[in-house]
Amino acid sequence: MRATVMYGAGDVRIENVPDARIIEPTDAVVTVTRACICGSDLWPYQKLKPSDTGRVMGHEAIGVVEAVGGEVSKIKRGDVVIMPFAFSDGTCVFCHDGLQTSCVHGGFFGTTEVAGAQAEAVRIPLADGTLFPVQVDKDDELMPSLLTLSDVMGTGHHAAVSAKVGPGKIVAVVGDGAVGLCGVIAARRLGAQQIIILGRHADRIALAREFGATDVVSGRGDEAVERVRALTGGLGAHSVLECVGLDAAMTTAISVARPGGAVGRVGVPQNEMMPASQPAFYNNISVSGGPAPARAYIEELLPDVLNGTIQPGRVFDRVIGLDDVPDGYRAMNDREAIKVMVEP
């Protein structure tokens, strides 16, 4: 089968790799009908050290079950399924707590150990606990929005939940990428009164406003902080969604939070040390977040996708075939595209 293999920074190739197959009796094989490139894929695209073996990329997908192992009982051949970016058994203590990204037997797709889904097919470990069947046709017009439930919409929602967004709250969203835009959707869905997006790209800002952003801050650093303060009566935001992962974004997020506020961080940190820890401490700002348990959020978010209340699939502004995935990486890295959907 054909798949996307990354060999190092900027080195993305479409190659023939061994077919996805059942290895463990708890596995399934899914034919990928839609996948996508994630903002977090851009970190290895920029920084990955060269390798002779490479790794099959992609951790967001929707598709049709092609085969199941002998111990798979909840998923059957022919099911249309959402594949969350982490696989999980659904039975451990953390899965029961709704934290499937910490499953004691789980892991992540698109690593050197488990091949990713920017491919014609993908092996799903722990299929019963991982996959979420949906009762729609594989070509339903809702597919782009359903695909976001594998990661990006769940991640935006996780940022909002971690930042304690609720009715009447003032929310600031740091980052105008697909996760930040989904964070705007999540904040509005949870009843935020004011949603301030911090971003600089006109197309993304326009979409953010359609999703529910009430204010835009285009500056950076101290300028951005001063502007958010001005928009919040000098007090800062109750809830801040950090959707980038860079030190500057985290510093801004803590700086625009009001005393006693909360920061939900879902941008993959590019530094082991958290910046602005002293201001967070002295202002009693809580900082939470991490990899979103997307599997736990699907059931909550799915009805609003199916009835059109939210339309997170609008973050996809480019659709490509598998052969064009290398250029899709380039386009997202160069900010020519917000988020690229792949139809293998």
Side-chain angles (χ1 to χ4, degrees):
M1 69 176 193
R2 295 162 66 245
T4 302
V5 185
M6 185 179 291
Y7 284 91
D11 187 0
V12 179
R13 313 175 199 174
I14 306 303
E15 296 187 336
N16 287 316
V17 301
D19 288 347
R21 62 185 180 86
I22 301 294
I23 297 176
E24 302 292 338
T26 51
D27 289 349
V29 172
V30 170
T31 297
V32 177
T33 57
R34 286 170 181 80
C36 49
I37 301 171
C38 182
S40 65
D41 291 333
L42 299 181
W43 297 127
Y45 184 73
Q46 296 170 6
K47 300 179 179 180
L48 186 67
K49 293 181 179 179
S51 164
D52 292 333
T53 55
R55 72 188 204 210
V56 178
M57 298 294 294
H59 53 258
E60 304 161 276
I62 197 162
V64 179
V65 177
E66 178 183 310
V68 297
E71 294 181 14
V72 176
S73 60
K74 297 177 181 178
I75 302 297
K76 64 183 185 300
R77 190 173 184 274
D79 282 349
V80 176
V81 291
I82 299 170
M83 182 201 89
F85 67 90
F87 58 89
S88 54
D89 61 21
T91 61
C92 81
V93 61
F94 298 116
C95 288
H96 280 301
D97 287 343
L99 195 60
Q100 287 90 337
T101 46
S102 293
C103 176
V104 295
H105 299 117
F108 299 91
F109 292 99
T111 64
T112 53
E113 292 80 21
V114 179
Q118 290 167 10
E120 293 179 324
V122 60
R123 178 179 77 92
I124 311 293
L126 305 173
D128 274 343
T130 301
L131 296 174
F132 194 102
V134 286
Q135 303 304 312
V136 297
D137 183 80
K138 66 182 180 68
D139 295 317
D140 192 285
E141 63 181 6
L142 291 173
M143 278 298 156
S145 286
L146 292 171
L147 176 58
T148 68
L149 299 182
S150 67
D151 183 348
V152 65
M153 184 61 221
T155 296
H157 180 69
H158 188 53
V161 170
S162 299
K164 304 176 184 178
V165 176
K169 293 287 186 73
I170 299 173
V171 177
V173 179
V174 181
D176 59 4
V179 171
L181 293 171
C182 286
V184 171
I185 294 174
R188 182 180 184 184
R189 180 179 174 275
L190 292 172
Q193 174 184 338
Q194 182 180 8
I195 303 171
I196 305 165
I197 183 147
L198 284 69
R200 303 166 64 88
H201 302 88
D203 56 340
R204 302 171 187 220
I205 294 306
L207 192 54
R209 285 194 178 279
E210 293 181 32
F211 284 161
T214 57
D215 301 278
V216 175
V217 172
S218 298
R220 292 182 177 179
D222 291 342
E223 180 186 350
V225 174
E226 291 175 8
R227 181 60 182 149
V228 173
R229 293 282 175 184
L231 289 167
T232 58
L235 301 177
H238 298 98
S239 304
V240 185
L241 284 55
E242 194 283 293
C243 303
V244 181
L246 295 174
D247 284 0
M250 192 61 193
T251 299
T252 297
I254 291 173
S255 300
V256 301
R258 68 175 53 197
V263 174
R265 62 186 316 200
V266 295
V268 179
Q270 297 304 293
N271 193 332
E272 291 186 4
M273 302 296 290
M274 189 186 86
S277 60
Q278 288 188 337
F281 176 82
Y282 285 110
N283 285 309
N284 282 281
I285 295 168
S286 60
V287 179
S288 186
R295 181 61 175 77
Y297 293 139
I298 293 175
E299 191 166 359
E300 175 183 351
L301 296 171
L302 181 61
D304 284 355
V305 169
L306 293 177
N307 66 25
T309 301
I310 61 174
Q311 297 177 309
R314 294 179 64 196
V315 299
F316 294 111
D317 57 346
R318 186 171 298 192
V319 181
I320 60 174
L322 199 55
D323 287 337
D324 294 323
V325 169
D327 189 61
Y329 271 85
R330 181 207 57 76
M332 283 184 60
N333 191 63
D334 292 346
R335 302 298 188 267
E336 291 178 9
I338 301 172
K339 191 167 178 68
V340 174
M341 184 163 63
V342 182
E343 296 182 349

